[in-house]
């Protein structure tokens, strides 16, 4: 999912939660509020605050999936809140989210419709699943958001991203085009279409979309790298190298730019330039990623530098012991060393 959108309202929405009371303070306040003239309404709001306390336990970005006990607690507390204060939108919203994360979609939709602003809630639920790499579930909620409010470009953009992640390029392109019709100034949509077409091997068409994205956001160096990668994949190595070097001129400490440049130089047959680029990537990429060591090993081996290649492959294997590619490379070079020794 490269080229993550930023700015222009297309950045991934982050749930900020709500200011809530603790359980102890909540229960103490509840006893006081129950004797007031507006006891039921105020008590309902307090129950809703306590429900958000339970619900927020499930919403941490660190959590891969909501915790079932916390969800059940949140649902029970929110049901108590709406029973006491049926017009409290916060309580209905919390109840809807708790039900949605339990997979009780129909009940969740009914609660969220009672709360109002269903399009925002559906988008939030879609983003929750998207951030946890569950694109099918994300898509279901994004599509509900589009049905509720079809004129929002952000919704169609999100649908396009989910469809692309599900390897449905035609559906993704259709969604992106709807988003673009609603917001033709959004650079992220142009870039997303470029990425989609590049992934399908349509590099010429993709480059036109990259160009239009960069016209609107010329300082996005990550997009320049994506455009250069597409040119490299298309076999236009001279242009790809030119664009990599342009990024490096603007961002000389970019390990990723040197990493990508090294591959282009290798494909271009320039050993010294490829080695210089990958060594610069290794120097800048602290901590060094697995892929950098693997590419270094491949370049060293291609250049006939077997000892540096072996060391690079071993470093890659140390970072990812399950990698068959790194393991086979290490074994191959060790076997070559043994064969060379026996032949002497």
């Amino acid at each position: 999912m490269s080229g993550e959108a930023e700015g222009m309202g297309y950045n991934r929405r982050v749930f900020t939660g709500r200011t809530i009371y603790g359980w102890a303070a909540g229960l103490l306040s509840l006893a006081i509020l129950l004797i007031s003239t507006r006891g039921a309404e105020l008590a309902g709001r307090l129950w809703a605050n306590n429900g958000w306390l339970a619900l927020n336990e499930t919403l941490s970005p660190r959590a891969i999936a909501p915790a079932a006990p916390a969800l059940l607690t949140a649902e029970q507390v929110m049901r108590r809140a709406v029973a006491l204060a049926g017009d409290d939108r916060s309580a209905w919203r919390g109840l809807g989210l708790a039900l949605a994360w339990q997979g009780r979609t129909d009940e969740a939709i009914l609660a969220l419709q009672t709360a109002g602003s269903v399009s925002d809630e559906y988008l939030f639920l879609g983003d929750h699943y998207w951030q946890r790499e569950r694109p099918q579930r994300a898509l279901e909620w994004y599509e509900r958001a589009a049905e509720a409010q079809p004129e929002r470009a952000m919704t169609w953009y999100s649908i396009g991203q989910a469809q692309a992640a599900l390897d449905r390029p035609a559906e993704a392109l259709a969604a992106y085009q709807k988003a673009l019709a609603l917001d033709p100034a959004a650079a992220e949509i142009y870039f997303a279409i470029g990425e989609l077409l590049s992934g399908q091997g349509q590099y010429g068409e993709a480059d036109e979309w990259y160009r239009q994205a960069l016209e609107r956001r010329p300082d996005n160096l990550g997009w320049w790298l994506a455009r250069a990668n597409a040119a490299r994949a298309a076999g236009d190595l001279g242009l790809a190298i030119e664009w990599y070097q342009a990024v490096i001129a603007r961002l000389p400490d970019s390990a990723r730019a040197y990493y990508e440049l090294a591959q282009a130089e290798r494909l271009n047959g320039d050993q010294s330039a490829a080695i210089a680029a990958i060594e610069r990537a290794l120097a800048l990429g602290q901590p060094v990623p697995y892929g950098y060591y693997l590419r270094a090993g491949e370049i060293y081996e291609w250049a006939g530098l077997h000892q540096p290649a072996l060391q690079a492959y071993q470093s890659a294997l140390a970072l990812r012991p399950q990698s068959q590619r790194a393991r086979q490379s290490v074994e191959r070079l060790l076997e070559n060393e043994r064969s060379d020794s026996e032949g002497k």
Side-chain angles (χ1 to χ4, degrees), residues 299-322:
I299 289 173
Y300 286 135
E301 187 176 4
W302 165 67
L305 303 174
H306 292 169
Q307 194 57 41
L310 177 59
Q311 292 172 353
Y313 287 138
Q314 287 172 331
S315 296
L317 187 61
L319 287 176
R320 194 174 294 180
Q322 74 277 19

Side-chain angles (χ1 to χ4, degrees), residues 15 85 176 193 213 220 224 228 250 284 340 342:
F15 183 68
Y176 286 143
I193 295 175
N220 193 314
W224 280 107
R250 298 274 299 277
L284 292 169
D340 290 344
E342 291 172 359

Side-chain angles (χ1 to χ4, degrees), residues 10 152-154 156-157 173-191 193 209 212 216:
Y10 289 85
R152 293 182 69 173
M154 181 190 300
W156 291 107
Y157 173 81
L173 183 58
Y176 286 143
Q177 288 173 334
K178 287 182 180 179
L180 196 61
L182 291 166
D183 189 359
E188 294 83 354
I189 304 174
Y190 293 89
F191 179 77
I193 295 175
W209 290 98
Q212 293 188 66
R216 293 162 174 80

Side-chain angles (χ1 to χ4, degrees), residues 13-82:
R13 298 162 290 279
V14 178
F15 183 68
T16 57
R18 292 168 175 266
T19 303
I20 54 181
Y21 303 111
W23 286 104
L27 292 175
L28 178 62
S29 301
L30 179 60
I32 297 171
L33 292 171
L34 284 174
I35 63 174
S36 70
T37 56
R38 299 175 61 202
E41 178 183 351
L42 295 175
R45 292 177 182 175
L46 184 55
W47 276 103
N49 282 337
N50 284 331
W52 279 103
L53 176 62
L55 191 59
N56 284 346
E57 293 178 17
T58 75
L59 300 178
S60 168
R62 297 183 299 274
I64 296 174
L71 284 175
L72 183 58
T73 300
E75 179 196 346
Q76 292 169 341
V77 175
M78 290 300 187
R79 286 195 182 281
R80 179 63 174 163
V82 298

Side-chain angles (χ1 to χ4, degrees), residues 69-274:
L71 284 175
L72 183 58
T73 300
E75 179 196 346
Q76 292 169 341
V77 175
M78 290 300 187
R79 286 195 182 281
R80 179 63 174 163
V82 298
L84 290 167
D87 61 346
D88 188 338
R89 295 175 62 183
S90 169
W92 283 107
R93 178 175 181 265
L95 177 59
L97 294 177
L99 291 167
W101 278 308
Q102 293 179 75
R104 296 157 64 183
T105 303
D106 291 341
E107 294 176 82
I109 290 172
L110 182 60
L112 292 172
Q113 287 174 339
T114 305
S117 302
V118 292
S119 180
D120 287 338
E121 306 306 341
Y122 294 165
L123 276 173
F124 169 60
L125 285 163
D127 285 347
H128 173 84
Y129 286 109
W130 175 260
Q131 291 159 5
R132 286 154 180 79
E133 299 183 357
R134 297 180 62 185
Q136 182 58 53
R137 288 289 287 151
L139 178 62
E140 293 167 8
W141 287 106
Y142 289 147
E143 289 179 334
R144 291 186 181 100
E147 184 178 355
Q149 196 172 357
E151 69 277 8
R152 293 182 69 173
M154 181 190 300
T155 304
W156 291 107
Y157 173 81
S158 298
I159 289 173
Q161 286 195 308
Q163 294 282 23
L166 292 166
D167 196 23
R168 299 170 184 166
E171 292 86 347
L173 183 58
Y176 286 143
Q177 288 173 334
K178 287 182 180 179
L180 196 61
L182 291 166
D183 189 359
E188 294 83 354
I189 304 174
Y190 293 89
F191 179 77
I193 295 175
E195 288 283 87
L196 180 69
L197 294 174
S198 179
Q200 297 299 305
Q202 301 177 45
Y203 301 115
E205 295 179 43
D207 188 68
E208 175 58 23
W209 290 98
Y210 286 136
R211 183 190 64 77
Q212 293 188 66
L214 286 163
E215 278 185 355
R216 293 162 174 80
R217 192 78 61 79
D219 293 331
N220 193 314
L221 299 183
W223 291 3
W224 280 107
L225 285 179
R227 190 183 189 190
N229 287 346
R232 186 184 68 197
D236 196 341
L237 299 175
L239 188 58
I241 290 170
E242 178 185 336
W243 284 338
Y244 290 135
Q245 291 174 338
V247 171
I248 289 169
R250 298 274 299 277
L251 198 63
D253 292 334
S254 172
R256 182 185 166 197
Y258 281 105
Y259 168 78
E260 301 292 1
L261 173 62
Q263 181 68 357
E265 296 287 12
R266 177 191 175 193
L267 293 172
N268 202 37
D270 192 331
Q271 291 184 359
S272 61

